[in-house]
Amino acid sequence: RLLSEMEQVPIWSAVEAAITASGFEFAAAHTIAGGYEGLFNWLTNKYVLQTTLGKDVFLGCLDYGGASFQVTFAPASGVIQDFGYRLRVDSSQERVYSYSYMRSGQDQAMLRYAKALASRSQESPILDSPCHNQGFNFSMNVAGAGERTLRGTGDYSKCKELTQALLNQQNECLLEPCAAQGVYQPPPTGVKFWARGALFFTANGLGLVDWGDAKALSTNQISAKGAEFCAKPWADVASKYSQSFCFSSAYIVAMLIQRVCLSAQ
């Protein structure tokens, strides 16, 4: 969905040609909207939970990917004024809210974060990054600012401030109640959310959940572990994936509280 319509056309043309030539029955191939991505995730989780744990009525799903962040759930009140979908699941009717925040996944959020750092230090080739461990330095091409080097300082408090700013809470709410960016969202009261993607990988990297495990976590727990992780020098935590844990621990807390409207507990 990050590609323009013109960039997508040759990709889907090649997909159509390959499937047609394979002999499989073909109807259409196109890019689905983010809301549907959230719905398919919700349906998958609902099926798995029903077959393993029994029916979970007010189920919610959070999907933190590389480019987008999906919030999908069935509100306890049943009232959905926008971004609502009506589904027939087996013999029952379901009404589900689903919204996709583009450029809010881990990779895209990091690019926006780097751009925000560059806007504060327009002339400096080196940008101090509170969302990376001290001792971790890397170069990247920052939109509108060219090649810059990010130098980790490991300051979780400042990291929280910067990641919260990425949610654009100043946007006007035109249909209440709103979550982040002035986007309508019904209250998630009574909803039990299941998280996947980088939400799980970050929690696992911080030592909050084991691989293949399922555990209820609060934003307070994520914040505490994030602050602890960010304060460590890079030499003590260096690995292939750990460079994102400090940033994501702060960004995830901001999203869960301000974007999903969950309490700190």
Side-chain angles (χ1 to χ4, degrees):
R1 293 195 298 275
L2 292 175
L3 299 179
S4 69
E5 184 177 345
M6 292 302 295
E7 290 172 317
Q8 291 186 37
V9 167
I11 296 174
W12 288 120
S13 295
V15 170
E16 180 177 349
I19 297 177
T20 301
S22 71
F24 280 93
E25 184 176 349
F26 176 78
H30 59 272
T31 304
I32 65 172
Y36 284 103
E37 182 179 352
L39 281 179
F40 288 129
N41 179 39
W42 183 86
L43 285 166
T44 301
N45 277 271
K46 184 177 179 66
Y47 173 78
V48 170
L49 292 172
Q50 282 182 333
T51 55
T52 58
L53 302 177
K55 189 172 183 179
D56 200 341
V57 180
F58 301 122
L59 165 70
C61 292
L62 305 173
D63 187 0
Y64 179 34
S68 59
F69 178 78
Q70 279 73 239
V71 181
T72 309
F73 64 95
S77 67
V79 177
I80 305 174
Q81 299 186 74
D82 205 354
F83 310 116
Y85 298 82
R86 188 180 297 277
L87 308 174
R88 178 177 292 278
V89 183
D90 296 327
S91 59
S92 63
Q93 289 274 0
E94 301 276 3
R95 293 203 70 231
V96 180
Y97 168 88
S98 187
Y99 189 83
S100 178
Y101 291 90
M102 282 304 299
R103 299 190 184 278
S104 294
Q106 182 172 274
D107 298 340
Q108 288 296 311
M110 177 59 69
L111 293 175
R112 293 169 55 221
Y113 163 75
K115 185 176 181 180
L117 290 180
S119 69
R120 298 184 176 201
S121 307
Q122 296 184 0
E123 303 301 323
S124 176
I126 299 177
L127 307 174
D128 284 338
S129 173
C131 292
H132 290 95
N133 298 82
Q134 190 169 16
F136 179 71
N137 306 321
F138 67 104
S139 297
M140 65 182 297
N141 196 325
V142 180
E147 190 78 9
R148 299 292 182 94
T149 296
L150 272 66
R151 178 173 58 195
T153 61
D155 189 328
Y156 191 71
S157 294
K158 289 185 178 178
C159 181
K160 286 203 301 183
E161 292 178 14
L162 289 167
T163 53
Q164 286 171 1
L166 297 177
L167 302 184
N168 297 318
Q169 289 296 96
Q170 74 279 5
N171 288 15
E172 183 180 4
C173 177
L174 298 177
L175 178 60
E176 295 184 348
C178 287
Q181 299 175 210
V183 173
Y184 165 79
Q185 177 188 289
T189 307
V191 176
K192 184 176 183 179
F193 282 97
W194 294 76
R196 66 182 299 272
L199 284 157
F200 170 80
F201 296 130
T202 301
N204 174 257
L206 295 175
L208 287 168
V209 59
D210 294 330
W211 195 259
D213 195 10
K215 183 188 295 183
L217 297 176
S218 70
T219 55
N220 279 340
Q221 288 175 288
I222 299 171
S223 184
K225 277 291 188 178
E228 180 183 313
F229 181 90
C230 291
K232 295 179 180 179
W234 175 244
D236 291 353
V237 298
S239 73
K240 181 178 180 181
Y241 300 107
S242 57
Q243 67 184 59
S244 65
F245 293 158
C246 179
F247 170 81
S248 281
S249 65
Y251 184 54
I252 284 171
V253 169
M255 287 195 297
L256 293 181
I257 293 177
Q258 298 181 14
R259 182 163 284 169
V260 190
C261 304
L262 300 181
S263 70
Q265 288 71 44

